Amino acid sequence: MELLPESWRVLSDLSDPELLESRPYVLQALQQAHRVEVTMGTTGAHGDMRLPNMAVRLEGPQWHVRFLDFDWAGVAKEHTYPPFMNPEITWPPGAHAYAVMISQHDVALLQMQFDLAVQ
């Protein structure tokens, strides 16, 4: 496990203005991550894109993004969610215990998390 310097902060620790400012950078980083080939012709899905599972650091006008907690991550359209998903979290449609993970779930959950955090 790599430890990040203190200049990195998880999204759940940011203020509302910081969340709003960092949001497009985080979404862009997730889109880029979903384009990375994991194995021949496959891409990955994180499976748990809640705000505590991403860290950001502001350098000048640019937010840098790191994804954390890859316990559920796997090959998109092949790996499945675990049987112990927290029922108190509003998961995107189609994301439930034993369901096949897709990258769209990651994007939907992240957007839902941003919307809930900044109301």
Side-chain angles (χ1 to χ4, degrees):
M1 177 172 95
E2 177 185 348
L3 296 178
L4 294 173
E6 288 183 25
S7 58
W8 290 90
R9 296 165 51 210
V10 293
L11 290 178
S12 55
D13 288 345
L14 298 182
S15 67
D16 286 357
E18 290 171 318
L19 275 174
L20 289 170
E21 186 180 331
S22 65
R23 183 178 187 155
Y25 293 91
V26 174
L27 289 167
Q28 180 182 26
L30 183 56
Q31 290 171 347
Q32 290 173 337
H34 283 153
R35 288 193 294 267
V36 173
E37 192 173 290
V38 177
T39 59
M40 285 184 46
T42 65
T43 58
H46 185 278
D48 192 8
M49 281 282 98
R50 291 176 299 122
L51 299 184
N53 292 335
M54 284 151 285
V56 293
R57 178 180 70 197
L58 183 61
E59 283 186 21
Q62 174 107 9
W63 289 90
H64 295 269
V65 181
R66 296 289 182 265
F67 299 105
L68 313 173
D69 190 2
F70 288 87
D71 290 349
W72 294 6
V75 176
K77 300 179 185 175
E78 290 182 20
H79 283 81
T80 59
Y81 287 100
F84 51 83
M85 294 173 71
N86 186 340
E88 294 182 19
I89 294 171
T90 303
W91 297 95
H96 54 82
Y98 301 109
V100 174
M101 289 191 296
I102 58 175
S103 59
Q104 291 87 342
H105 292 160
D106 287 349
V107 174
L109 180 58
L110 178 57
Q111 291 186 354
M112 290 166 54
Q113 290 277 299
F114 271 119
D115 291 346
L116 284 172
V118 182
Q119 291 186 4

Coordinates of all heavy atoms in Angstrom, one line a residue, residues 49-97:
M49 N -17.0 3.9 -6.0 CA -16.6 5.3 -6.3 C -17.2 6.3 -5.3 O -17.7 7.3 -5.7 CB -16.9 5.7 -7.7 CG -15.9 5.2 -8.7 SD -14.4 6.1 -8.8 CE -13.3 5.1 -7.8
R50 N -17.2 5.9 -4.0 CA -17.6 6.9 -3.0 C -16.5 7.9 -2.7 O -15.4 7.6 -3.0 CB -18.0 6.1 -1.7 CG -19.3 5.3 -1.9 CD -19.6 4.5 -0.7 NE -18.6 3.5 -0.4 CZ -17.9 3.5 0.8 NH1 -18.2 4.3 1.8 NH2 -16.9 2.6 1.0
L51 N -16.9 9.1 -2.2 CA -16.0 10.2 -2.1 C -14.7 9.8 -1.2 O -13.6 10.3 -1.5 CB -16.7 11.4 -1.5 CG -17.8 12.0 -2.4 CD1 -18.4 13.2 -1.7 CD2 -17.3 12.2 -3.8
P52 N -14.8 9.0 -0.2 CA -13.6 8.6 0.6 C -12.6 7.8 -0.2 O -11.5 7.6 0.2 CB -14.1 7.8 1.8 CG -15.6 8.1 1.8 CD -16.0 8.4 0.5
N53 N -13.0 7.3 -1.4 CA -12.1 6.4 -2.2 C -11.4 7.2 -3.3 O -10.8 6.5 -4.2 CB -12.9 5.2 -2.7 CG -13.4 4.3 -1.6 OD1 -12.7 4.3 -0.6 ND2 -14.4 3.6 -1.8
M54 N -11.3 8.5 -3.2 CA -10.5 9.3 -4.1 C -9.8 10.4 -3.4 O -10.4 11.0 -2.4 CB -11.4 9.9 -5.2 CG -11.9 8.9 -6.3 SD -13.4 9.4 -6.9 CE -14.5 8.9 -5.6
A55 N -8.6 10.6 -3.7 CA -7.8 11.7 -3.1 C -7.4 12.7 -4.2 O -7.2 12.3 -5.4 CB -6.6 11.2 -2.4
V56 N -7.4 14.0 -3.8 CA -7.0 15.0 -4.8 C -6.0 15.9 -4.1 O -5.8 16.0 -2.9 CB -8.2 15.9 -5.2 CG1 -9.2 15.1 -6.0 CG2 -8.9 16.5 -4.0
R57 N -5.3 16.6 -5.0 CA -4.3 17.6 -4.6 C -4.3 18.7 -5.6 O -4.3 18.5 -6.8 CB -2.9 17.0 -4.5 CG -1.8 18.0 -4.1 CD -0.4 17.3 -4.1 NE 0.0 17.0 -5.4 CZ 1.0 16.2 -5.7 NH1 1.6 15.6 -4.8 NH2 1.3 16.0 -7.0
L58 N -4.4 19.9 -5.1 CA -4.4 21.1 -5.9 C -3.0 21.6 -6.2 O -2.3 21.9 -5.2 CB -5.3 22.2 -5.3 CG -5.5 23.5 -6.1 CD1 -6.2 23.2 -7.5 CD2 -6.3 24.5 -5.3
E59 N -2.6 21.7 -7.4 CA -1.3 22.3 -7.8 C -1.6 23.4 -8.8 O -1.9 23.1 -10.0 CB -0.4 21.2 -8.5 CG 0.2 20.3 -7.5 CD 1.2 19.3 -8.2 OE1 1.7 19.6 -9.3 OE2 1.5 18.3 -7.6
G60 N -1.4 24.6 -8.3 CA -1.8 25.8 -9.2 C -3.3 25.7 -9.5 O -4.1 25.5 -8.6
P61 N -3.6 25.8 -10.8 CA -5.1 25.7 -11.1 C -5.6 24.3 -11.3 O -6.7 24.1 -11.6 CB -5.1 26.5 -12.4 CG -3.8 26.3 -13.0 CD -2.8 26.2 -11.9
Q62 N -4.7 23.3 -11.2 CA -5.0 21.9 -11.6 C -5.2 21.0 -10.4 O -4.4 21.0 -9.5 CB -3.9 21.4 -12.5 CG -4.0 19.9 -12.8 CD -4.4 19.7 -14.3 OE1 -4.4 20.6 -15.1 NE2 -4.7 18.5 -14.6
W63 N -6.3 20.2 -10.4 CA -6.5 19.2 -9.4 C -5.9 17.9 -9.9 O -6.3 17.4 -11.0 CB -8.0 19.0 -9.1 CG -8.6 20.2 -8.4 CD1 -9.1 21.3 -8.9 CD2 -8.7 20.3 -7.0 NE1 -9.6 22.1 -7.9 CE2 -9.3 21.6 -6.7 CE3 -8.3 19.5 -5.9 CZ2 -9.6 22.0 -5.4 CZ3 -8.6 20.0 -4.6 CH2 -9.2 21.2 -4.4
H64 N -5.1 17.2 -9.1 CA -4.6 15.9 -9.5 C -5.4 14.9 -8.7 O -5.8 15.1 -7.5 CB -3.1 15.8 -9.1 CG -2.3 16.7 -10.0 ND1 -1.7 16.4 -11.2 CD2 -1.9 18.1 -9.8 CE1 -1.0 17.4 -11.7 NE2 -1.2 18.4 -10.9
V65 N -5.6 13.7 -9.3 CA -6.6 12.8 -8.7 C -5.9 11.4 -8.5 O -5.1 11.0 -9.4 CB -7.8 12.6 -9.6 CG1 -8.8 11.6 -9.1 CG2 -8.4 13.9 -9.9
R66 N -6.1 10.7 -7.4 CA -5.7 9.4 -7.2 C -6.9 8.6 -6.7 O -7.7 9.0 -5.9 CB -4.6 9.3 -6.1 CG -3.3 10.0 -6.5 CD -2.6 9.2 -7.6 NE -1.3 9.8 -7.9 CZ -1.2 10.7 -8.9 NH1 -2.2 11.1 -9.7 NH2 0.0 11.2 -9.2
F67 N -7.0 7.4 -7.2 CA -8.1 6.5 -6.8 C -7.5 5.6 -5.7 O -6.4 5.1 -5.7 CB -8.6 5.7 -7.9 CG -9.2 6.5 -9.0 CD1 -8.5 6.8 -10.2 CD2 -10.4 7.2 -8.8 CE1 -9.0 7.6 -11.2 CE2 -10.9 8.0 -9.8 CZ -10.2 8.2 -11.0
L68 N -8.4 5.3 -4.7 CA -8.0 4.5 -3.5 C -8.9 3.3 -3.4 O -10.0 3.2 -4.0 CB -8.1 5.3 -2.3 CG -7.5 6.7 -2.3 CD1 -7.8 7.5 -1.1 CD2 -6.0 6.7 -2.5
D69 N -8.5 2.4 -2.5 CA -9.3 1.2 -2.1 C -9.8 0.4 -3.3 O -11.0 0.5 -3.8 CB -10.5 1.7 -1.3 CG -11.3 0.5 -0.6 OD1 -10.8 -0.6 -0.8 OD2 -12.3 0.8 0.0
F70 N -9.0 -0.4 -3.8 CA -9.3 -1.3 -5.0 C -9.7 -2.7 -4.6 O -9.7 -3.6 -5.4 CB -8.0 -1.4 -5.9 CG -7.7 -0.1 -6.6 CD1 -6.9 0.9 -6.0 CD2 -8.2 0.2 -7.9 CE1 -6.6 2.1 -6.6 CE2 -7.9 1.4 -8.5 CZ -7.1 2.3 -7.9
D71 N -10.3 -2.8 -3.4 CA -10.7 -4.1 -3.0 C -11.8 -4.8 -3.9 O -11.8 -6.0 -4.1 CB -11.3 -4.1 -1.5 CG -10.3 -3.8 -0.5 OD1 -9.1 -3.9 -0.8 OD2 -10.7 -3.5 0.7
W72 N -12.6 -4.0 -4.4 CA -13.7 -4.5 -5.3 C -13.3 -4.4 -6.8 O -14.1 -5.0 -7.6 CB -15.0 -3.8 -5.1 CG -15.6 -3.9 -3.8 CD1 -15.1 -4.5 -2.6 CD2 -16.9 -3.3 -3.4 NE1 -16.0 -4.4 -1.6 CE2 -17.1 -3.7 -2.0 CE3 -17.9 -2.6 -4.0 CZ2 -18.2 -3.3 -1.3 CZ3 -19.0 -2.2 -3.3 CH2 -19.2 -2.6 -2.0
A73 N -12.3 -3.8 -7.1 CA -12.0 -3.5 -8.5 C -11.8 -4.8 -9.3 O -11.3 -5.8 -8.8 CB -10.7 -2.6 -8.6
G74 N -12.1 -4.7 -10.6 CA -11.9 -5.9 -11.4 C -12.2 -5.6 -12.9 O -12.3 -4.4 -13.2
V75 N -12.2 -6.6 -13.7 CA -12.4 -6.4 -15.1 C -13.9 -6.0 -15.3 O -14.8 -6.8 -14.8 CB -12.1 -7.7 -15.9 CG1 -12.4 -7.5 -17.4 CG2 -10.6 -8.0 -15.7
A76 N -14.2 -4.9 -16.0 CA -15.5 -4.5 -16.3 C -16.2 -5.6 -17.1 O -15.6 -6.2 -18.0 CB -15.5 -3.2 -17.0
K77 N -17.5 -5.8 -16.8 CA -18.4 -6.8 -17.5 C -18.0 -8.2 -17.2 O -18.5 -9.1 -17.9 CB -18.4 -6.5 -19.0 CG -18.9 -5.1 -19.4 CD -18.9 -4.9 -20.9 CE -19.3 -3.5 -21.3 NZ -19.2 -3.2 -22.7
E78 N -17.1 -8.4 -16.3 CA -16.7 -9.8 -15.9 C -16.8 -10.0 -14.4 O -17.4 -11.0 -13.9 CB -15.3 -10.2 -16.4 CG -15.1 -10.3 -17.9 CD -13.7 -10.7 -18.3 OE1 -13.0 -11.2 -17.4 OE2 -13.4 -10.5 -19.4
H79 N -16.2 -9.1 -13.6 CA -16.2 -9.2 -12.2 C -17.5 -8.8 -11.6 O -18.2 -8.0 -12.2 CB -15.0 -8.4 -11.6 CG -13.7 -9.1 -11.7 ND1 -13.0 -9.0 -12.9 CD2 -13.0 -9.9 -10.9 CE1 -11.9 -9.7 -12.7 NE2 -11.9 -10.3 -11.5
T80 N -17.8 -9.3 -10.4 CA -19.1 -9.0 -9.8 C -18.9 -8.3 -8.5 O -17.9 -8.3 -7.9 CB -20.0 -10.3 -9.6 OG1 -19.2 -11.1 -8.7 CG2 -20.3 -11.0 -10.9
Y81 N -20.0 -7.6 -8.1 CA -20.0 -6.9 -6.8 C -20.0 -8.0 -5.7 O -20.5 -9.1 -5.9 CB -21.2 -6.0 -6.6 CG -21.1 -4.8 -7.4 CD1 -21.8 -4.7 -8.7 CD2 -20.3 -3.7 -7.0 CE1 -21.7 -3.5 -9.4 CE2 -20.2 -2.5 -7.8 CZ -20.9 -2.5 -9.0 OH -20.8 -1.3 -9.7
P82 N -19.4 -7.7 -4.5 CA -19.4 -8.6 -3.4 C -20.8 -8.8 -2.8 O -21.7 -8.0 -3.1 CB -18.5 -8.0 -2.4 CG -18.6 -6.5 -2.7 CD -18.8 -6.4 -4.2
P83 N -21.0 -9.8 -2.0 CA -22.3 -10.0 -1.4 C -22.7 -9.1 -0.2 O -23.8 -9.1 0.3 CB -22.2 -11.4 -0.8 CG -20.8 -11.7 -0.6 CD -20.1 -10.8 -1.7
F84 N -21.7 -8.3 0.2 CA -21.9 -7.5 1.4 C -21.9 -6.0 1.2 O -21.4 -5.2 1.9 CB -20.7 -7.7 2.4 CG -19.4 -7.6 1.8 CD1 -18.7 -6.4 1.7 CD2 -18.7 -8.7 1.3 CE1 -17.5 -6.3 1.1 CE2 -17.5 -8.6 0.7 CZ -16.9 -7.4 0.6
M85 N -22.6 -5.5 0.1 CA -22.7 -4.1 -0.2 C -23.6 -3.4 0.9 O -24.7 -3.9 1.3 CB -23.3 -3.9 -1.6 CG -22.4 -4.4 -2.6 SD -23.1 -4.4 -4.3 CE -23.1 -2.6 -4.6
N86 N -23.2 -2.2 1.3 CA -23.8 -1.5 2.4 C -25.2 -1.1 1.9 O -25.3 -0.3 1.0 CB -23.0 -0.3 2.8 CG -23.6 0.5 3.9 OD1 -24.7 0.4 4.3 ND2 -22.7 1.3 4.5
P87 N -26.3 -1.5 2.5 CA -27.6 -1.2 2.1 C -28.0 0.3 2.4 O -29.0 0.8 1.9 CB -28.5 -2.1 2.9 CG -27.7 -2.5 4.1 CD -26.3 -2.5 3.7
E88 N -27.2 1.0 3.2 CA -27.5 2.4 3.5 C -27.0 3.3 2.5 O -27.3 4.5 2.5 CB -26.9 2.7 4.9 CG -27.6 2.0 6.0 CD -27.1 2.3 7.4 OE1 -26.4 3.4 7.5 OE2 -27.3 1.5 8.3
I89 N -26.2 2.8 1.5 CA -25.7 3.6 0.4 C -26.7 3.5 -0.7 O -27.1 2.4 -1.1 CB -24.3 3.2 0.0 CG1 -23.3 3.4 1.2 CG2 -23.8 3.9 -1.3 CD1 -22.0 2.8 1.0
T90 N -27.0 4.6 -1.4 CA -27.8 4.6 -2.6 C -26.9 4.2 -3.8 O -26.1 5.1 -4.2 CB -28.5 5.9 -2.8 OG1 -29.3 6.2 -1.7 CG2 -29.4 5.9 -4.1
W91 N -27.0 3.0 -4.2 CA -26.1 2.5 -5.3 C -26.9 2.8 -6.6 O -28.1 2.9 -6.7 CB -25.9 1.0 -5.2 CG -25.1 0.7 -3.9 CD1 -25.6 0.3 -2.7 CD2 -23.7 0.7 -3.8 NE1 -24.6 0.1 -1.8 CE2 -23.4 0.4 -2.4 CE3 -22.6 1.1 -4.6 CZ2 -22.1 0.3 -1.9 CZ3 -21.3 1.0 -4.1 CH2 -21.1 0.6 -2.8
P92 N -26.1 3.0 -7.7 CA -26.8 3.2 -9.0 C -27.6 2.0 -9.4 O -27.3 0.9 -9.0 CB -25.7 3.5 -10.0 CG -24.4 3.1 -9.3 CD -24.7 3.0 -7.8
P93 N -28.6 2.2 -10.3 CA -29.4 1.1 -10.8 C -28.5 0.0 -11.4 O -27.5 0.4 -12.2 CB -30.3 1.7 -11.9 CG -30.4 3.2 -11.4 CD -29.1 3.5 -10.8
G94 N -28.7 -1.2 -11.1 CA -27.9 -2.3 -11.6 C -26.7 -2.7 -10.8 O -26.1 -3.7 -11.0
A95 N -26.4 -1.8 -9.8 CA -25.2 -2.1 -8.9 C -25.8 -2.7 -7.6 O -26.3 -2.0 -6.8 CB -24.4 -0.9 -8.7
H96 N -25.6 -4.0 -7.5 CA -26.1 -4.7 -6.3 C -25.3 -6.0 -6.1 O -24.5 -6.3 -7.0 CB -27.6 -5.0 -6.4 CG -28.0 -5.8 -7.6 ND1 -27.8 -7.2 -7.7 CD2 -28.4 -5.4 -8.8 CE1 -28.2 -7.6 -8.9 NE2 -28.6 -6.5 -9.6
A97 N -25.5 -6.6 -5.0 CA -24.7 -7.8 -4.6 C -24.8 -8.8 -5.8 O -25.8 -9.1 -6.3 CB -25.2 -8.4 -3.4

